[in-house]
Amino acid sequence: MKYRTIGTDPATRREVSVLALGAMLFGSVTDEETSFAILDRYVEAGGNFVDTSDNYAFWVDGGQGGQSEELIGRWRRSRGVGHEIVVATKLGARPLAPGTGYTDNAEGLSAKVIRESAERSRERLGVEKLDLLYAHIDDHAVPQRETVEGFAELVAEGTVGLLGVSNQAMWRVERARALAAAAGLPGYEVLQYQHSHLRPRFDVPSELFPDGSLGHAGAELLGCLRAEPDLTLVAYSPLLAGAYVRRDKPLPPDYDHPGTPARLAVLREVARETDASVNQVVLAWQLGGELPIVPLAGASSVAQLEENLAAVDLELTVDQRSRLDAAH
């Protein structure tokens, strides 16, 4: 395994494995025995960066989520896992009532919610401190200063380490970071957005993003990474839920555009040249690039995890990387 540092403050920064493990479906779609086996193998391979959320996976049973955090808590207790494993979680998108969702009834990002939701996450996970806590989605109904101060209070109290943000417009992220900096408070240092080798359309509206996607890592976010050395991108869904390699998994609609075939073609070329899978090439491309990107890949079996782990040691040549970058 290889590692990189996230965060800048010596009091809160952490050394994390370059491949993060997504636990979204652990405890719901993925049963406990399988989830434990995946977590065990990940740690055995040197992995130490596990990602979850307080709302995972509410859509499976129409509830409010919490299954993933609860499973990780049981796994931690059964294995005697301590602070050596960095567990990241999120708040803000948990439905306030069963049968609702984050587009119509999200908990939001008020100071009260931040405190209460973080406490519930700590209890479910069985930790005294949340190593990394994200604002999962934006909340335009709450002043950003209140959100910034709410997160900062938990950092000051020692119950939260690093702060992160996901699925927000970059102008909102930078406004929040500016508010924090002006007040001498900790701000967002980890950005969790969808990012893969294929480039999505950004103009496809959705219920959460009526003006087009704010959940993908676009030019503004990648430009921020180049300009701000204290930021790290944790790239979720790098493998597009299996769509690169599974015939029964079509590409999401926002990848249906003229640029996709050329990028798929070069991925397959490089996979043949390296005797690797397309999935492994995608992860290696992210891992070895010039921008600080940590792929966040889930797994529903130990075999899938093994495939992902092998990408850590896959070295792409300068020519291969150049071709992957240039395809459009």
Side-chain angles (χ1 to χ4, degrees):
M1 185 56 69
K2 300 171 185 176
Y3 302 88
R4 70 160 63 243
T5 302
I6 57 173
T8 56
D9 187 335
T12 56
R13 69 189 180 198
R14 297 300 303 270
E15 291 290 315
V16 298
S17 47
V18 295
L19 180 67
L21 176 64
M24 182 171 68
L25 299 180
F26 288 3
S28 55
V29 175
T30 307
D31 64 59
E32 184 154 318
E33 181 181 0
T34 303
S35 300
F36 275 34
I38 293 168
L39 286 160
D40 288 343
R41 175 62 188 125
Y42 177 68
V43 172
E44 180 185 46
N48 74 336
F49 194 13
V50 179
D51 184 89
T52 184
S53 174
D54 71 347
N55 73 340
Y56 291 163
F58 77 87
W59 55 90
V60 173
D61 62 2
Q64 293 173 273
Q67 303 99 312
S68 175
E69 288 185 331
E70 290 168 355
L71 182 136
I72 293 170
R74 292 193 296 273
W75 172 76
R76 292 185 69 261
R77 287 187 292 272
S78 71
R79 303 303 194 256
V81 169
H83 194 52
E84 71 276 8
I85 302 300
V86 177
V87 178
T89 193
K90 314 173 195 73
L91 57 79
R94 179 175 179 265
L96 288 173
T100 62
Y102 53 73
T103 58
D104 61 341
N105 197 28
E107 61 186 352
L109 295 174
S110 69
K112 181 175 184 291
V113 163
I114 289 169
R115 178 169 294 279
E116 293 177 354
S117 294
E119 176 62 25
R120 284 194 296 266
S121 289
R122 290 198 300 123
E123 290 176 0
R124 284 191 288 261
L125 290 165
V127 298
E128 295 182 1
K129 180 179 183 178
L130 299 171
D131 300 302
L132 169 56
L133 181 61
Y134 292 96
H136 201 165
I137 59 175
D138 209 346
D139 182 357
H140 290 267
V142 172
Q144 278 191 296
R145 184 176 299 277
E146 178 180 342
T147 299
V148 166
E149 292 175 351
F151 278 118
E153 284 180 7
L154 300 187
V155 176
E157 293 168 7
T159 56
V160 171
L162 291 166
L163 299 175
V165 63
S166 184
N167 303 310
Q168 294 190 19
M170 286 310 298
W171 70 267
R172 292 277 289 176
V173 173
E174 283 305 303
R175 179 176 287 179
R177 281 169 44 81
L179 286 168
L185 300 174
Y188 302 135
E189 292 188 274
V190 185
L191 313 175
Q192 186 174 136
Y193 287 74
Q194 201 282 317
H195 181 262
S196 188
H197 183 257
L198 292 185
R199 293 170 174 160
R201 290 177 54 183
F202 290 86
D203 60 336
V204 179
S206 66
E207 192 174 2
L208 184 61
F209 304 124
D211 299 312
S213 176
L214 299 175
H216 291 99
E220 289 191 359
L221 189 153
L222 298 176
C224 279
L225 288 182
R226 294 183 191 279
E228 301 287 343
D230 58 332
L231 295 178
T232 302
L233 171 62
V234 172
Y236 73 77
S237 297
L239 304 179
L240 304 182
Y244 279 111
V245 296
R246 290 178 54 176
R247 294 182 182 275
D248 62 326
K249 289 263 189 171
L251 288 171
D254 44 353
Y255 293 92
D256 183 12
H257 60 80
T260 291
R263 288 182 80 79
L264 278 175
V266 74
L267 272 174
R268 290 164 180 160
E269 287 175 5
V270 174
R272 288 193 295 270
E273 293 166 6
T274 57
D275 196 26
S277 70
V278 168
N279 284 344
Q280 289 168 337
V281 173
V282 171
L283 294 175
W285 172 77
Q286 290 182 322
L287 287 166
E290 61 183 43
L291 297 179
I293 297 175
V294 177
L296 168 59
S300 59
S301 68
V302 173
Q304 286 183 356
L305 175 66
E306 295 286 5
E307 179 185 4
N308 296 344
L309 288 169
V312 174
D313 296 318
L314 176 59
E315 298 287 344
L316 302 176
T317 67
V318 173
D319 174 69
Q320 288 167 341
R321 185 167 293 279
S322 176
R323 285 152 50 205
L324 287 164
D325 290 342
H328 62 275

